[in-house]
Amino acid sequence: MVGLPRVEHDDPSAGKAIGFSFIPYFNFYWIVFNTLRLTDRVNLQLRLRGQPDAVSRNFAIAAAVIGIVPYVNILFGYLIFWPILIYY
């Protein structure tokens, strides 16, 4: 499996990132962790190329947390926050 390049020693492999999503209750933490890790990696790649950060870390946290709250995730998470975060 091909994933993001390993920049830090604690970067999860693609198999680990997918596998941890299936562990009950731990997957709530893992959704937030993966969202923040992806945000950090995208911003790092932009900084390496001399560009400003494109994705706000705080907005990514908000989207991830709203995405795991039942019922709120359907109305706000999937319809508003995640499309905006994906646009960034």
Side-chain angles (χ1 to χ4, degrees):
M1 298 179 106
V2 178
L4 291 174
R6 295 186 108 182
V7 177
E8 295 183 11
H9 65 85
D10 63 343
D11 283 347
S13 65
K16 184 178 179 181
I18 293 169
F20 281 175
S21 298
F22 293 105
I23 300 173
Y25 301 110
F26 182 75
N27 61 351
F28 296 131
Y29 162 76
W30 199 246
I31 291 169
V32 176
F33 175 83
N34 275 339
T35 303
L36 291 178
R37 183 59 59 111
L38 181 61
T39 300
D40 291 342
R41 293 301 171 263
V42 168
N43 287 335
L44 174 67
Q45 291 299 318
L46 289 170
R47 274 186 252 124
L48 290 173
R49 287 160 179 76
Q51 299 175 359
D53 291 352
V55 183
S56 166
R57 187 172 168 88
N58 292 332
F59 188 77
I61 291 172
V65 170
I66 287 174
I68 61 175
V69 176
Y71 302 111
V72 175
N73 61 359
I74 297 169
L75 181 60
F76 293 108
Y78 299 138
L79 296 177
I80 298 172
F81 279 87
W82 281 104
I84 293 171
L85 187 62
I86 291 169
Y87 175 74
Y88 282 132

